[in-house]
Amino acid sequence: MAWIGQRINPARHQWRWYRIDVQPTLWGDWRCLVAWGRIGQAARGQRILGEGPVEAMHRLAEQQQHRKRQRGYVFRIE
């Protein structure tokens, strides 16, 4: 499952995207990954937020979404 967020503010020249993914690993755990960049371009950065059970990774993804929503991002589920 993936959440895609965008923050668009033409007055400040901000056209950004942020992606949060929860994916299974080869060993049965789950991983929460994030990536970010400018709209229309490839990712400028990415990071692993954590690994563990699927419920914990979904909570971690929701916490990260909350932080980004406070900064003006609008999310949709992909």
Side-chain angles (χ1 to χ4, degrees), residues 1-75:
M1 182 179 293
W3 293 268
I4 305 292
Q6 290 185 338
R7 181 169 75 173
I8 300 171
N9 185 348
R12 297 184 69 193
H13 300 286
Q14 293 178 339
W15 291 274
R16 297 183 179 153
W17 61 267
Y18 194 84
R19 181 180 177 106
I20 304 170
D21 283 316
V22 176
Q23 301 175 345
T25 65
L26 294 174
W27 298 274
D29 277 340
W30 289 76
R31 181 178 285 169
C32 185
L33 306 161
V34 296
W36 58 89
R38 290 180 59 88
I39 293 174
Q41 296 182 359
R44 296 190 117 194
Q46 54 189 354
R47 179 173 75 161
I48 298 172
L49 288 182
E51 287 188 24
V54 67
E55 297 86 9
M57 293 304 100
H58 278 286
R59 275 194 308 275
L60 188 59
E62 289 170 3
Q63 290 170 355
Q64 190 67 14
Q65 276 185 63
H66 178 72
R67 287 186 203 110
K68 289 299 178 178
R69 279 192 183 115
Q70 288 178 328
R71 297 188 59 103
Y73 283 84
V74 177
F75 281 91

